[in-house]
Amino acid sequence: MIDETNAAQPRVTATQAALDFIREIQADHPDILFHQSGGCCDGSSPMCYPTAEYRVGETDVKLGEIGGVPVYISGSQYAVWKHTQLIIDVVPGRGGMFSLDNGRERRFLTRSRLFAGGEACAIPAVASKTSV
């Protein structure tokens, strides 16, 4: 697992607007997680699910946490984005059909930045069936 208190840059961060939106969603669904979508319908939207209703895959990678909420990505997608820091933000619009941000007139959006040459970045952990 990533220890965000170390000197390395975290793999995933969030804007204050995203952290505030997470707290709003947690008022209705206290235990949530994010999975970075790589599907055809939601593009680069991080999907927000109740933890009890989402099974983390054996090859999913835990990038870290934002506001105490774990963020996962598929192993194959991580292989493509491993040199990138994901920044979770909020924009006007509708969330993914099954994502908890749907119907709130705002949605989560993933922005990104490449890690600079020589910049230390945290090494994520591959999720295990017991990690969630």
Side-chain angles (χ1 to χ4, degrees), residues 33-102:
L33 64 80
F34 283 97
H35 193 278
Q36 177 58 47
S37 172
C40 64
C41 301
D42 295 304
S44 62
S45 296
M47 304 295 283
C48 182
Y49 300 107
T51 300
E53 295 180 21
Y54 187 84
R55 176 171 233 143
V56 176
E58 289 184 22
T59 61
D60 285 346
V61 176
K62 182 178 181 185
L63 295 176
E65 294 186 359
I66 54 173
V69 175
V71 179
Y72 297 90
I73 190 170
S74 71
S76 60
Q77 193 171 4
Y78 172 73
V80 174
W81 287 13
K82 65 184 174 185
H83 301 294
T84 306
Q85 182 182 54
L86 302 185
I87 305 154
I88 308 304
D89 199 0
V90 175
V91 296
R94 296 237 171 202
M97 182 180 294
F98 300 108
S99 184
L100 293 174
D101 55 351
N102 190 22

